[in-house]
mmCIF file of all heavy atoms in Angstrom:
data_model
loop_
_atom_site.group_PDB
_atom_site.id
_atom_site.type_symbol
_atom_site.label_atom_id
_atom_site.label_comp_id
_atom_site.label_asym_id
_atom_site.label_seq_id
_atom_site.Cartn_x
_atom_site.Cartn_y
_atom_site.Cartn_z
ATOM 1 N N MET A 281 -8.867 -13.242 14.628
ATOM 2 C CA MET A 281 -7.724 -13.820 13.898
ATOM 3 C C MET A 281 -7.730 -13.478 12.430
ATOM 4 O O MET A 281 -6.702 -13.646 11.775
ATOM 5 C CB MET A 281 -7.663 -15.402 14.089
ATOM 6 C CG MET A 281 -7.412 -15.824 15.565
ATOM 7 S SD MET A 281 -5.663 -15.426 16.076
ATOM 8 C CE MET A 281 -5.697 -16.023 17.653
ATOM 9 N N TYR A 282 -8.945 -13.137 12.001
ATOM 10 C CA TYR A 282 -9.002 -12.917 10.483
ATOM 11 C C TYR A 282 -9.348 -11.423 10.263
ATOM 12 O O TYR A 282 -9.959 -11.073 9.302
ATOM 13 C CB TYR A 282 -10.001 -13.793 9.944
ATOM 14 C CG TYR A 282 -9.388 -15.147 9.489
ATOM 15 C CD1 TYR A 282 -9.540 -16.039 10.464
ATOM 16 C CD2 TYR A 282 -8.935 -15.283 8.361
ATOM 17 C CE1 TYR A 282 -8.938 -17.318 10.194
ATOM 18 C CE2 TYR A 282 -8.363 -16.547 7.918
ATOM 19 C CZ TYR A 282 -8.391 -17.557 9.016
ATOM 20 O OH TYR A 282 -7.755 -18.774 8.727
ATOM 21 N N LYS A 283 -8.994 -10.529 11.307
ATOM 22 C CA LYS A 283 -9.200 -9.076 10.994
ATOM 23 C C LYS A 283 -8.222 -8.769 9.834
ATOM 24 O O LYS A 283 -7.042 -9.107 9.893
ATOM 25 C CB LYS A 283 -8.782 -8.251 12.263
ATOM 26 C CG LYS A 283 -9.997 -8.241 13.300
ATOM 27 C CD LYS A 283 -9.766 -7.444 14.505
ATOM 28 C CE LYS A 283 -10.920 -7.407 15.478
ATOM 29 N NZ LYS A 283 -10.586 -6.611 16.639
ATOM 30 N N GLY A 284 -8.640 -7.843 8.966
ATOM 31 C CA GLY A 284 -7.870 -7.562 7.789
ATOM 32 C C GLY A 284 -7.627 -8.516 6.677
ATOM 33 O O GLY A 284 -6.721 -8.374 5.906
ATOM 34 N N PHE A 285 -8.589 -9.482 6.712
ATOM 35 C CA PHE A 285 -8.430 -10.548 5.865
ATOM 36 C C PHE A 285 -8.527 -10.111 4.397
ATOM 37 O O PHE A 285 -7.666 -10.411 3.480
ATOM 38 C CB PHE A 285 -9.522 -11.688 6.012
ATOM 39 C CG PHE A 285 -9.554 -12.750 5.057
ATOM 40 C CD1 PHE A 285 -8.729 -13.835 4.996
ATOM 41 C CD2 PHE A 285 -10.482 -12.612 3.870
ATOM 42 C CE1 PHE A 285 -8.747 -14.771 4.022
ATOM 43 C CE2 PHE A 285 -10.510 -13.540 2.853
ATOM 44 C CZ PHE A 285 -9.604 -14.590 2.852
ATOM 45 N N TRP A 286 -9.444 -9.320 3.993
ATOM 46 C CA TRP A 286 -9.680 -8.825 2.654
ATOM 47 C C TRP A 286 -8.547 -7.916 2.163
ATOM 48 O O TRP A 286 -8.191 -8.181 1.014
ATOM 49 C CB TRP A 286 -11.044 -8.181 2.537
ATOM 50 C CG TRP A 286 -12.199 -9.133 2.522
ATOM 51 C CD1 TRP A 286 -13.128 -9.177 3.535
ATOM 52 C CD2 TRP A 286 -12.394 -10.158 1.609
ATOM 53 N NE1 TRP A 286 -13.881 -10.230 3.276
ATOM 54 C CE2 TRP A 286 -13.561 -10.922 2.040
ATOM 55 C CE3 TRP A 286 -11.797 -10.630 0.405
ATOM 56 C CZ2 TRP A 286 -14.157 -11.994 1.459
ATOM 57 C CZ3 TRP A 286 -12.317 -11.683 -0.281
ATOM 58 C CH2 TRP A 286 -13.477 -12.323 0.167
ATOM 59 N N PRO A 287 -8.057 -7.102 3.061
ATOM 60 C CA PRO A 287 -6.682 -6.455 2.570
ATOM 61 C C PRO A 287 -5.678 -7.291 2.294
ATOM 62 O O PRO A 287 -4.854 -7.129 1.508
ATOM 63 C CB PRO A 287 -6.555 -5.445 3.640
ATOM 64 C CG PRO A 287 -7.810 -5.149 4.275
ATOM 65 C CD PRO A 287 -8.575 -6.461 4.217
ATOM 66 N N ILE A 288 -5.443 -8.363 3.070
ATOM 67 C CA ILE A 288 -4.476 -9.284 3.051
ATOM 68 C C ILE A 288 -4.592 -10.005 1.629
ATOM 69 O O ILE A 288 -3.700 -10.114 0.853
ATOM 70 C CB ILE A 288 -4.479 -10.370 4.071
ATOM 71 C CG1 ILE A 288 -3.946 -9.760 5.317
ATOM 72 C CG2 ILE A 288 -3.516 -11.602 3.692
ATOM 73 C CD1 ILE A 288 -4.030 -10.802 6.487
ATOM 74 N N TYR A 289 -5.858 -10.462 1.350
ATOM 75 C CA TYR A 289 -6.125 -11.076 0.004
ATOM 76 C C TYR A 289 -5.874 -10.078 -1.091
ATOM 77 O O TYR A 289 -5.208 -10.401 -2.215
ATOM 78 C CB TYR A 289 -7.527 -11.496 -0.050
ATOM 79 C CG TYR A 289 -7.953 -11.951 -1.445
ATOM 80 C CD1 TYR A 289 -7.437 -13.244 -1.883
ATOM 81 C CD2 TYR A 289 -8.838 -11.302 -2.151
ATOM 82 C CE1 TYR A 289 -7.776 -13.628 -3.208
ATOM 83 C CE2 TYR A 289 -9.172 -11.709 -3.621
ATOM 84 C CZ TYR A 289 -8.626 -12.820 -3.995
ATOM 85 O OH TYR A 289 -8.990 -13.218 -5.292
ATOM 86 N N PHE A 290 -6.468 -8.909 -1.072
ATOM 87 C CA PHE A 290 -6.264 -7.988 -2.177
ATOM 88 C C PHE A 290 -4.977 -7.347 -2.423
ATOM 89 O O PHE A 290 -4.595 -6.894 -3.558
ATOM 90 C CB PHE A 290 -7.352 -6.859 -2.040
ATOM 91 C CG PHE A 290 -8.837 -7.163 -2.344
ATOM 92 C CD1 PHE A 290 -9.787 -7.264 -1.393
ATOM 93 C CD2 PHE A 290 -9.175 -7.678 -3.689
ATOM 94 C CE1 PHE A 290 -11.123 -7.583 -1.623
ATOM 95 C CE2 PHE A 290 -10.364 -7.937 -3.941
ATOM 96 C CZ PHE A 290 -11.350 -8.015 -2.886
ATOM 97 N N ARG A 291 -4.182 -7.461 -1.401
ATOM 98 C CA ARG A 291 -2.836 -7.074 -1.461
ATOM 99 C C ARG A 291 -1.951 -8.306 -2.036
ATOM 100 O O ARG A 291 -1.011 -8.006 -2.807
ATOM 101 C CB ARG A 291 -2.190 -6.668 -0.105
ATOM 102 C CG ARG A 291 -0.739 -6.310 -0.166
ATOM 103 C CD ARG A 291 -0.216 -6.164 1.134
ATOM 104 N NE ARG A 291 1.306 -5.860 1.043
ATOM 105 C CZ ARG A 291 2.280 -6.860 0.974
ATOM 106 N NH1 ARG A 291 1.822 -8.205 0.909
ATOM 107 N NH2 ARG A 291 3.525 -6.534 0.974
ATOM 108 N N SER A 292 -2.233 -9.478 -1.564
ATOM 109 C CA SER A 292 -1.340 -10.596 -1.869
ATOM 110 C C SER A 292 -1.345 -10.892 -3.295
ATOM 111 O O SER A 292 -0.304 -11.204 -3.840
ATOM 112 C CB SER A 292 -1.904 -11.839 -1.007
ATOM 113 O OG SER A 292 -0.995 -12.965 -1.260
ATOM 114 N N ALA A 293 -2.525 -10.893 -3.867
ATOM 115 C CA ALA A 293 -2.573 -11.224 -5.324
ATOM 116 C C ALA A 293 -1.851 -10.346 -6.245
ATOM 117 O O ALA A 293 -0.913 -10.678 -7.005
ATOM 118 C CB ALA A 293 -3.974 -11.388 -5.807
ATOM 119 N N PRO A 294 -2.070 -9.008 -6.223
ATOM 120 C CA PRO A 294 -1.181 -8.069 -7.110
ATOM 121 C C PRO A 294 0.277 -8.118 -6.640
ATOM 122 O O PRO A 294 1.093 -7.901 -7.589
ATOM 123 C CB PRO A 294 -1.991 -6.718 -6.879
ATOM 124 C CG PRO A 294 -2.764 -6.864 -5.605
ATOM 125 C CD PRO A 294 -3.184 -8.213 -5.500
ATOM 126 N N HIS A 295 0.476 -8.199 -5.417
ATOM 127 C CA HIS A 295 1.857 -8.060 -4.947
ATOM 128 C C HIS A 295 2.574 -9.272 -5.532
ATOM 129 O O HIS A 295 3.796 -9.090 -5.954
ATOM 130 C CB HIS A 295 2.000 -7.973 -3.394
ATOM 131 C CG HIS A 295 3.394 -7.760 -2.905
ATOM 132 N ND1 HIS A 295 3.910 -6.545 -2.871
ATOM 133 C CD2 HIS A 295 4.333 -8.586 -2.628
ATOM 134 C CE1 HIS A 295 5.195 -6.557 -2.347
ATOM 135 N NE2 HIS A 295 5.400 -7.832 -2.120
ATOM 136 N N THR A 296 2.101 -10.366 -5.409
ATOM 137 C CA THR A 296 2.647 -11.576 -5.977
ATOM 138 C C THR A 296 2.874 -11.515 -7.377
ATOM 139 O O THR A 296 3.967 -11.688 -7.900
ATOM 140 C CB THR A 296 1.794 -12.861 -5.619
ATOM 141 O OG1 THR A 296 1.614 -13.039 -4.181
ATOM 142 C CG2 THR A 296 2.450 -14.178 -6.232
ATOM 143 N N THR A 297 1.936 -11.103 -8.081
ATOM 144 C CA THR A 297 1.964 -10.918 -9.514
ATOM 145 C C THR A 297 2.905 -9.887 -9.883
ATOM 146 O O THR A 297 3.803 -10.213 -10.804
ATOM 147 C CB THR A 297 0.468 -10.510 -10.090
ATOM 148 O OG1 THR A 297 -0.463 -11.369 -9.687
ATOM 149 C CG2 THR A 297 0.565 -10.334 -11.588
ATOM 150 N N LEU A 298 2.994 -8.725 -9.391
ATOM 151 C CA LEU A 298 3.849 -7.722 -9.668
ATOM 152 C C LEU A 298 5.317 -8.110 -9.398
ATOM 153 O O LEU A 298 6.193 -7.756 -10.122
ATOM 154 C CB LEU A 298 3.521 -6.342 -9.014
ATOM 155 C CG LEU A 298 2.310 -5.729 -9.417
ATOM 156 C CD1 LEU A 298 1.872 -4.630 -8.419
ATOM 157 C CD2 LEU A 298 2.433 -5.157 -10.799
ATOM 158 N N THR A 299 5.539 -8.836 -8.307
ATOM 159 C CA THR A 299 6.872 -9.235 -7.977
ATOM 160 C C THR A 299 7.490 -10.219 -8.951
ATOM 161 O O THR A 299 8.514 -9.998 -9.523
ATOM 162 C CB THR A 299 6.865 -9.783 -6.480
ATOM 163 O OG1 THR A 299 6.427 -8.949 -5.577
ATOM 164 C CG2 THR A 299 8.282 -10.393 -6.234
ATOM 165 N N PHE A 300 6.684 -11.076 -9.268
ATOM 166 C CA PHE A 300 7.136 -12.164 -10.306
ATOM 167 C C PHE A 300 7.276 -11.557 -11.671
ATOM 168 O O PHE A 300 8.062 -11.801 -12.400
ATOM 169 C CB PHE A 300 6.160 -13.472 -10.257
ATOM 170 C CG PHE A 300 6.449 -14.437 -9.251
ATOM 171 C CD1 PHE A 300 5.796 -14.464 -7.969
ATOM 172 C CD2 PHE A 300 7.570 -15.237 -9.345
ATOM 173 C CE1 PHE A 300 6.093 -15.299 -7.081
ATOM 174 C CE2 PHE A 300 7.838 -16.249 -8.430
ATOM 175 C CZ PHE A 300 7.134 -16.221 -7.196
ATOM 176 N N VAL A 301 6.302 -10.667 -12.043
ATOM 177 C CA VAL A 301 6.440 -10.064 -13.389
ATOM 178 C C VAL A 301 7.633 -9.106 -13.517
ATOM 179 O O VAL A 301 8.467 -9.334 -14.556
ATOM 180 C CB VAL A 301 5.092 -9.215 -13.627
ATOM 181 C CG1 VAL A 301 5.303 -8.346 -14.837
ATOM 182 C CG2 VAL A 301 3.911 -10.077 -13.956
ATOM 183 N N PHE A 302 7.841 -8.295 -12.440
ATOM 184 C CA PHE A 302 9.106 -7.484 -12.439
ATOM 185 C C PHE A 302 10.380 -8.259 -12.472
ATOM 186 O O PHE A 302 11.224 -7.957 -13.080
ATOM 187 C CB PHE A 302 9.043 -6.640 -11.189
ATOM 188 C CG PHE A 302 8.022 -5.562 -11.259
ATOM 189 C CD1 PHE A 302 7.509 -4.958 -10.080
ATOM 190 C CD2 PHE A 302 7.631 -5.015 -12.431
ATOM 191 C CE1 PHE A 302 6.605 -3.913 -10.156
ATOM 192 C CE2 PHE A 302 6.519 -3.950 -12.559
ATOM 193 C CZ PHE A 302 6.130 -3.392 -11.371
ATOM 194 N N PHE A 303 10.309 -9.411 -11.710
ATOM 195 C CA PHE A 303 11.383 -10.259 -11.533
ATOM 196 C C PHE A 303 11.767 -10.951 -12.834
ATOM 197 O O PHE A 303 12.903 -10.982 -13.328
ATOM 198 C CB PHE A 303 11.312 -11.287 -10.508
ATOM 199 C CG PHE A 303 12.571 -12.179 -10.175
ATOM 200 C CD1 PHE A 303 13.622 -11.569 -9.761
ATOM 201 C CD2 PHE A 303 12.535 -13.523 -10.302
ATOM 202 C CE1 PHE A 303 14.821 -12.263 -9.413
ATOM 203 C CE2 PHE A 303 13.588 -14.262 -9.928
ATOM 204 C CZ PHE A 303 14.827 -13.636 -9.489
ATOM 205 N N GLU A 304 10.754 -11.440 -13.549
ATOM 206 C CA GLU A 304 11.002 -12.071 -14.921
ATOM 207 C C GLU A 304 11.501 -11.047 -15.997
ATOM 208 O O GLU A 304 12.331 -11.366 -16.694
ATOM 209 C CB GLU A 304 9.712 -12.753 -15.227
ATOM 210 C CG GLU A 304 9.314 -13.987 -14.490
ATOM 211 C CD GLU A 304 8.018 -14.499 -14.876
ATOM 212 O OE1 GLU A 304 7.263 -13.912 -15.724
ATOM 213 O OE2 GLU A 304 7.575 -15.595 -14.387
ATOM 214 N N LYS A 305 10.900 -9.843 -15.793
ATOM 215 C CA LYS A 305 11.374 -8.834 -16.800
ATOM 216 C C LYS A 305 12.817 -8.338 -16.580
ATOM 217 O O LYS A 305 13.582 -8.154 -17.518
ATOM 218 C CB LYS A 305 10.413 -7.611 -16.738
ATOM 219 C CG LYS A 305 8.892 -7.928 -17.160
ATOM 220 C CD LYS A 305 8.947 -8.423 -18.606
ATOM 221 C CE LYS A 305 7.518 -8.743 -19.063
ATOM 222 N NZ LYS A 305 7.451 -9.366 -20.393
ATOM 223 N N LEU A 306 13.165 -8.306 -15.205
ATOM 224 C CA LEU A 306 14.495 -7.770 -14.889
ATOM 225 C C LEU A 306 15.403 -8.816 -15.304
ATOM 226 O O LEU A 306 16.582 -8.639 -15.777
ATOM 227 C CB LEU A 306 14.637 -7.510 -13.350
ATOM 228 C CG LEU A 306 13.873 -6.300 -12.997
ATOM 229 C CD1 LEU A 306 13.800 -6.092 -11.434
ATOM 230 C CD2 LEU A 306 14.588 -5.041 -13.489
#
Side-chain angles (χ1 to χ4, degrees):
M281 293 295 177
Y282 279 88
K283 283 182 176 179
F285 172 82
W286 288 112
I288 291 176
Y289 170 72
F290 285 116
R291 175 192 178 277
S292 182
H295 187 85
T296 301
T297 303
L298 289 169
T299 299
F300 277 98
V301 168
F302 288 157
F303 189 54
E304 290 174 357
K305 295 301 180 183
L306 288 170

